[in-house]
mmCIF file with all atom_site columns, all heavy atoms in Angstrom:
data_model
loop_
_atom_site.group_PDB
_atom_site.id
_atom_site.type_symbol
_atom_site.label_atom_id
_atom_site.label_alt_id
_atom_site.label_comp_id
_atom_site.label_asym_id
_atom_site.label_entity_id
_atom_site.label_seq_id
_atom_site.pdbx_PDB_ins_code
_atom_site.Cartn_x
_atom_site.Cartn_y
_atom_site.Cartn_z
_atom_site.occupancy
_atom_site.B_iso_or_equiv
_atom_site.pdbx_formal_charge
_atom_site.auth_seq_id
_atom_site.auth_comp_id
_atom_site.auth_asym_id
_atom_site.auth_atom_id
_atom_site.pdbx_PDB_model_num
ATOM 1  N N   . ALA A 1 220 ? -33.916 -49.134 -1.864 1.00 96.00 ? 1188 ALA A N   1
ATOM 2  C CA  . ALA A 1 220 ? -34.198 -50.509 -2.318 1.00 96.00 ? 1188 ALA A CA  1
ATOM 3  C C   . ALA A 1 220 ? -33.291 -50.967 -3.463 1.00 96.00 ? 1188 ALA A C   1
ATOM 4  O O   . ALA A 1 220 ? -33.235 -52.187 -3.708 1.00 96.00 ? 1188 ALA A O   1
ATOM 5  C CB  . ALA A 1 220 ? -35.682 -50.622 -2.761 1.00 96.00 ? 1188 ALA A CB  1
ATOM 6  N N   . ASN A 1 221 ? -32.619 -50.062 -4.110 1.00 96.00 ? 1189 ASN A N   1
ATOM 7  C CA  . ASN A 1 221 ? -31.691 -50.490 -5.144 1.00 96.00 ? 1189 ASN A CA  1
ATOM 8  C C   . ASN A 1 221 ? -30.437 -51.145 -4.593 1.00 96.00 ? 1189 ASN A C   1
ATOM 9  O O   . ASN A 1 221 ? -29.783 -51.912 -5.243 1.00 96.00 ? 1189 ASN A O   1
ATOM 10 C CB  . ASN A 1 221 ? -31.294 -49.278 -6.044 1.00 96.00 ? 1189 ASN A CB  1
ATOM 11 C CG  . ASN A 1 221 ? -30.674 -48.157 -5.250 1.00 96.00 ? 1189 ASN A CG  1
ATOM 12 O OD1 . ASN A 1 221 ? -30.965 -47.962 -4.099 1.00 96.00 ? 1189 ASN A OD1 1
ATOM 13 N ND2 . ASN A 1 221 ? -29.771 -47.380 -5.891 1.00 96.00 ? 1189 ASN A ND2 1
ATOM 14 N N   . ILE A 1 222 ? -30.118 -50.840 -3.357 1.00 96.00 ? 1190 ILE A N   1
ATOM 15 C CA  . ILE A 1 222 ? -28.964 -51.411 -2.672 1.00 96.00 ? 1190 ILE A CA  1
ATOM 16 C C   . ILE A 1 222 ? -29.317 -52.343 -1.533 1.00 96.00 ? 1190 ILE A C   1
ATOM 17 O O   . ILE A 1 222 ? -28.808 -53.510 -1.471 1.00 96.00 ? 1190 ILE A O   1
ATOM 18 C CB  . ILE A 1 222 ? -28.053 -50.287 -2.082 1.00 96.00 ? 1190 ILE A CB  1
ATOM 19 C CG1 . ILE A 1 222 ? -27.663 -49.288 -3.187 1.00 96.00 ? 1190 ILE A CG1 1
ATOM 20 C CG2 . ILE A 1 222 ? -26.823 -50.880 -1.408 1.00 96.00 ? 1190 ILE A CG2 1
ATOM 21 C CD1 . ILE A 1 222 ? -26.819 -49.866 -4.322 1.00 96.00 ? 1190 ILE A CD1 1
ATOM 22 N N   . ILE A 1 223 ? -30.223 -51.954 -0.694 1.00 94.00 ? 1191 ILE A N   1
ATOM 23 C CA  . ILE A 1 223 ? -30.657 -52.797 0.437  1.00 94.00 ? 1191 ILE A CA  1
ATOM 24 C C   . ILE A 1 223 ? -31.922 -53.522 -0.032 1.00 94.00 ? 1191 ILE A C   1
ATOM 25 O O   . ILE A 1 223 ? -33.065 -53.104 0.228  1.00 94.00 ? 1191 ILE A O   1
ATOM 26 C CB  . ILE A 1 223 ? -30.924 -51.927 1.680  1.00 94.00 ? 1191 ILE A CB  1
ATOM 27 C CG1 . ILE A 1 223 ? -29.637 -51.115 1.988  1.00 94.00 ? 1191 ILE A CG1 1
ATOM 28 C CG2 . ILE A 1 223 ? -31.250 -52.786 2.912  1.00 94.00 ? 1191 ILE A CG2 1
ATOM 29 C CD1 . ILE A 1 223 ? -29.799 -50.115 3.105  1.00 94.00 ? 1191 ILE A CD1 1
ATOM 30 N N   . LYS A 1 224 ? -31.723 -54.600 -0.715 1.00 95.00 ? 1192 LYS A N   1
ATOM 31 C CA  . LYS A 1 224 ? -32.788 -55.215 -1.514 1.00 95.00 ? 1192 LYS A CA  1
ATOM 32 C C   . LYS A 1 224 ? -33.798 -56.013 -0.712 1.00 95.00 ? 1192 LYS A C   1
ATOM 33 O O   . LYS A 1 224 ? -34.981 -56.063 -1.063 1.00 95.00 ? 1192 LYS A O   1
ATOM 34 C CB  . LYS A 1 224 ? -32.153 -56.114 -2.635 1.00 95.00 ? 1192 LYS A CB  1
ATOM 35 C CG  . LYS A 1 224 ? -31.290 -55.267 -3.583 1.00 95.00 ? 1192 LYS A CG  1
ATOM 36 C CD  . LYS A 1 224 ? -30.765 -56.161 -4.684 1.00 95.00 ? 1192 LYS A CD  1
ATOM 37 C CE  . LYS A 1 224 ? -29.801 -55.380 -5.629 1.00 95.00 ? 1192 LYS A CE  1
ATOM 38 N NZ  . LYS A 1 224 ? -30.486 -54.293 -6.340 1.00 95.00 ? 1192 LYS A NZ  1
ATOM 39 N N   . THR A 1 225 ? -33.384 -56.611 0.393  1.00 95.00 ? 1193 THR A N   1
ATOM 40 C CA  . THR A 1 225 ? -34.335 -57.473 1.117  1.00 95.00 ? 1193 THR A CA  1
ATOM 41 C C   . THR A 1 225 ? -35.310 -56.673 1.960  1.00 95.00 ? 1193 THR A C   1
ATOM 42 O O   . THR A 1 225 ? -36.525 -56.711 1.750  1.00 95.00 ? 1193 THR A O   1
ATOM 43 C CB  . THR A 1 225 ? -33.547 -58.470 2.021  1.00 95.00 ? 1193 THR A CB  1
ATOM 44 O OG1 . THR A 1 225 ? -32.735 -59.288 1.179  1.00 95.00 ? 1193 THR A OG1 1
ATOM 45 C CG2 . THR A 1 225 ? -34.542 -59.362 2.772  1.00 95.00 ? 1193 THR A CG2 1
ATOM 46 N N   . THR A 1 226 ? -34.778 -55.850 2.874  1.00 95.00 ? 1194 THR A N   1
ATOM 47 C CA  . THR A 1 226 ? -35.658 -55.099 3.791  1.00 95.00 ? 1194 THR A CA  1
ATOM 48 C C   . THR A 1 226 ? -36.286 -53.868 3.099  1.00 95.00 ? 1194 THR A C   1
ATOM 49 O O   . THR A 1 226 ? -37.503 -53.699 3.173  1.00 95.00 ? 1194 THR A O   1
ATOM 50 C CB  . THR A 1 226 ? -34.879 -54.696 5.074  1.00 95.00 ? 1194 THR A CB  1
ATOM 51 O OG1 . THR A 1 226 ? -33.675 -54.052 4.698  1.00 95.00 ? 1194 THR A OG1 1
ATOM 52 C CG2 . THR A 1 226 ? -34.566 -55.911 5.906  1.00 95.00 ? 1194 THR A CG2 1
ATOM 53 N N   . ASP A 1 227 ? -35.448 -53.056 2.523  1.00 96.00 ? 1195 ASP A N   1
ATOM 54 C CA  . ASP A 1 227 ? -36.021 -51.892 1.777  1.00 96.00 ? 1195 ASP A CA  1
ATOM 55 C C   . ASP A 1 227 ? -36.822 -52.346 0.627  1.00 96.00 ? 1195 ASP A C   1
ATOM 56 O O   . ASP A 1 227 ? -37.833 -51.737 0.226  1.00 96.00 ? 1195 ASP A O   1
ATOM 57 C CB  . ASP A 1 227 ? -34.907 -50.977 1.306  1.00 96.00 ? 1195 ASP A CB  1
ATOM 58 C CG  . ASP A 1 227 ? -34.397 -50.036 2.400  1.00 96.00 ? 1195 ASP A CG  1
ATOM 59 O OD1 . ASP A 1 227 ? -34.566 -50.414 3.618  1.00 96.00 ? 1195 ASP A OD1 1
ATOM 60 O OD2 . ASP A 1 227 ? -33.788 -49.027 2.142  1.00 96.00 ? 1195 ASP A OD2 1
ATOM 61 N N   . GLY A 1 228 ? -36.436 -53.466 0.002  1.00 97.00 ? 1196 GLY A N   1
ATOM 62 C CA  . GLY A 1 228 ? -37.181 -54.002 -1.146 1.00 97.00 ? 1196 GLY A CA  1
ATOM 63 C C   . GLY A 1 228 ? -38.560 -54.423 -0.694 1.00 97.00 ? 1196 GLY A C   1
ATOM 64 O O   . GLY A 1 228 ? -39.566 -54.225 -1.390 1.00 97.00 ? 1196 GLY A O   1
ATOM 65 N N   . LYS A 1 229 ? -38.690 -55.053 0.500  1.00 97.00 ? 1197 LYS A N   1
ATOM 66 C CA  . LYS A 1 229 ? -40.016 -55.471 1.027  1.00 97.00 ? 1197 LYS A CA  1
ATOM 67 C C   . LYS A 1 229 ? -40.850 -54.199 1.250  1.00 97.00 ? 1197 LYS A C   1
ATOM 68 O O   . LYS A 1 229 ? -42.071 -54.199 0.927  1.00 97.00 ? 1197 LYS A O   1
ATOM 69 C CB  . LYS A 1 229 ? -39.848 -56.267 2.332  1.00 97.00 ? 1197 LYS A CB  1
ATOM 70 C CG  . LYS A 1 229 ? -41.158 -56.619 3.006  1.00 97.00 ? 1197 LYS A CG  1
ATOM 71 C CD  . LYS A 1 229 ? -40.964 -57.278 4.306  1.00 97.00 ? 1197 LYS A CD  1
ATOM 72 C CE  . LYS A 1 229 ? -40.778 -58.769 4.190  1.00 97.00 ? 1197 LYS A CE  1
ATOM 73 N NZ  . LYS A 1 229 ? -41.976 -59.486 3.636  1.00 97.00 ? 1197 LYS A NZ  1
ATOM 74 N N   . PHE A 1 230 ? -40.254 -53.201 1.811  1.00 97.00 ? 1198 PHE A N   1
ATOM 75 C CA  . PHE A 1 230 ? -41.019 -51.936 2.091  1.00 97.00 ? 1198 PHE A CA  1
ATOM 76 C C   . PHE A 1 230 ? -41.570 -51.351 0.772  1.00 97.00 ? 1198 PHE A C   1
ATOM 77 O O   . PHE A 1 230 ? -42.739 -50.998 0.704  1.00 97.00 ? 1198 PHE A O   1
ATOM 78 C CB  . PHE A 1 230 ? -40.093 -50.915 2.732  1.00 97.00 ? 1198 PHE A CB  1
ATOM 79 C CG  . PHE A 1 230 ? -40.784 -49.723 3.390  1.00 97.00 ? 1198 PHE A CG  1
ATOM 80 C CD1 . PHE A 1 230 ? -41.089 -49.717 4.717  1.00 97.00 ? 1198 PHE A CD1 1
ATOM 81 C CD2 . PHE A 1 230 ? -41.161 -48.619 2.602  1.00 97.00 ? 1198 PHE A CD2 1
ATOM 82 C CE1 . PHE A 1 230 ? -41.739 -48.596 5.309  1.00 97.00 ? 1198 PHE A CE1 1
ATOM 83 C CE2 . PHE A 1 230 ? -41.799 -47.557 3.121  1.00 97.00 ? 1198 PHE A CE2 1
ATOM 84 C CZ  . PHE A 1 230 ? -42.095 -47.546 4.482  1.00 97.00 ? 1198 PHE A CZ  1
ATOM 85 N N   . LEU A 1 231 ? -40.752 -51.277 -0.252 1.00 98.00 ? 1199 LEU A N   1
ATOM 86 C CA  . LEU A 1 231 ? -41.176 -50.722 -1.544 1.00 98.00 ? 1199 LEU A CA  1
ATOM 87 C C   . LEU A 1 231 ? -42.216 -51.604 -2.239 1.00 98.00 ? 1199 LEU A C   1
ATOM 88 O O   . LEU A 1 231 ? -43.210 -51.107 -2.819 1.00 98.00 ? 1199 LEU A O   1
ATOM 89 C CB  . LEU A 1 231 ? -39.983 -50.447 -2.448 1.00 98.00 ? 1199 LEU A CB  1
ATOM 90 C CG  . LEU A 1 231 ? -40.218 -49.767 -3.776 1.00 98.00 ? 1199 LEU A CG  1
ATOM 91 C CD1 . LEU A 1 231 ? -40.976 -48.433 -3.535 1.00 98.00 ? 1199 LEU A CD1 1
ATOM 92 C CD2 . LEU A 1 231 ? -38.931 -49.577 -4.535 1.00 98.00 ? 1199 LEU A CD2 1
#
Side-chain angles (χ1 to χ4, degrees):
N1189 57 330
I1190 304 297
I1191 305 174
K1192 297 183 184 297
T1193 300
T1194 50
D1195 280 23
K1197 177 184 274 294
F1198 194 97
L1199 186 54

